[in-house]
């Protein structure tokens, strides 16, 4: 498991389904490690099998004594090592997050650095939306018009994505 552990990544999800599978196969918490994250979001783990091919990690793929918290931290370290994340301003005054691997963008929520940059830039006045696996949006909570534009942007991203996450504001 040591070599494959370096290919395990966290995926942030609201519904435990695998949209890559035919008919959006349901992921069972009975046989898949799931970490409760925030609001209605959870983290599952995937193994990178190819350039853009990922497989959901199942319990039977782990050693019996595997510590899920350690696995979570190791998967976050893999993200930091393998994926470049960029924070950019949006046209409506919010912040959008980009990465070199679109399929991993929502997983950036696992990075303390991303949170700290947004909190510093928005002076701890922060609302977040994760409409799709490839989209994270941040806006200053006190600026109603900016939040409204962010919600509009996020709802469009949610409706257009096959990998929907959530329309919930956090």
């Amino acid at each position: 498991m040591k070599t494959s552990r370096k290919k395990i990544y966290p995926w942030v999800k609201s519904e435990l389904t695998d949209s890559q599978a035919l008919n959006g196969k349901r992921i069972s918490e009975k046989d898949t490690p799931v970490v409760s994250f925030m609001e209605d979001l959870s983290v599952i783990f995937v193994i990178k099998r190819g350039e853009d091919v990922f497989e959901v990690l199942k319990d039977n793929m782990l050693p019996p004594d595997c510590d899920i918290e350690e696995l979570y931290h190791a998967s976050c370290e893999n993200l930091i090592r393998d994926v470049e994340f960029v924070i950019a301003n949006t046209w409506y005054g919010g912040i959008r997050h980009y990465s070199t691997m679109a399929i991993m963008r929502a997983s950036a929520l696992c990075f303390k650095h991303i949170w700290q940059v947004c909190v510093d830039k928005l002076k701890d006045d922060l609302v977040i939306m994760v409409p799709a696996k490839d989209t994270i949006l941040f806006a200053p909570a006190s600026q109603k018009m900016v939040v409204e534009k962010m919600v509009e942007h996020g709802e469009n991203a949610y409706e257009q994505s096959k990998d929907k996450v959530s329309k919930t504001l956090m």
Side-chain angles (χ1 to χ4, degrees), residues 17-142:
T17 57
D18 182 0
S19 65
Q20 312 281 320
L22 186 61
N23 298 326
K25 182 181 176 193
R26 182 104 177 109
I27 298 168
S28 171
E29 288 187 62
K30 293 178 184 175
D31 66 357
T32 306
V34 178
V35 176
S36 181
F37 193 61
M38 60 187 273
E39 300 285 328
D40 62 344
L41 302 180
S42 297
V43 172
I44 64 167
F45 302 95
V46 294
I47 301 172
K48 186 174 183 180
R49 297 290 190 200
E51 188 60 35
D52 287 320
V53 178
F54 294 86
E55 178 182 356
V56 174
L57 185 70
K58 300 291 185 188
D59 285 335
N60 65 3
M61 301 164 97
L62 296 169
D65 60 341
C66 182
D67 181 316
I68 300 304
E69 188 173 334
E70 285 179 21
L71 181 65
Y72 171 77
H73 291 295
S75 69
C76 290
E77 288 175 16
N78 294 343
L79 272 180
I80 292 167
R81 180 193 68 223
D82 296 341
V83 181
E84 180 183 347
F85 291 95
V86 177
I87 297 172
N89 292 323
T90 63
W91 61 270
Y92 53 82
I95 299 173
R96 182 176 178 154
H97 154 266
Y98 295 94
S99 74
T100 54
M101 198 180 306
I103 204 161
M104 293 292 185
R105 286 185 187 145
S107 298
L109 287 175
C110 300
F111 289 163
K112 289 179 185 176
H113 173 72
I114 297 260
W115 287 96
Q116 195 59 54
V117 167
C118 291
V119 166
D120 290 348
K121 187 168 181 143
L122 299 175
K123 306 298 180 218
D124 210 20
D125 179 36
L126 186 64
V127 64
I128 300 165
M129 188 175 191
V130 188
K133 187 166 45 176
D134 63 353
T135 307
I136 301 176
L137 304 170
F138 303 85
S142 62

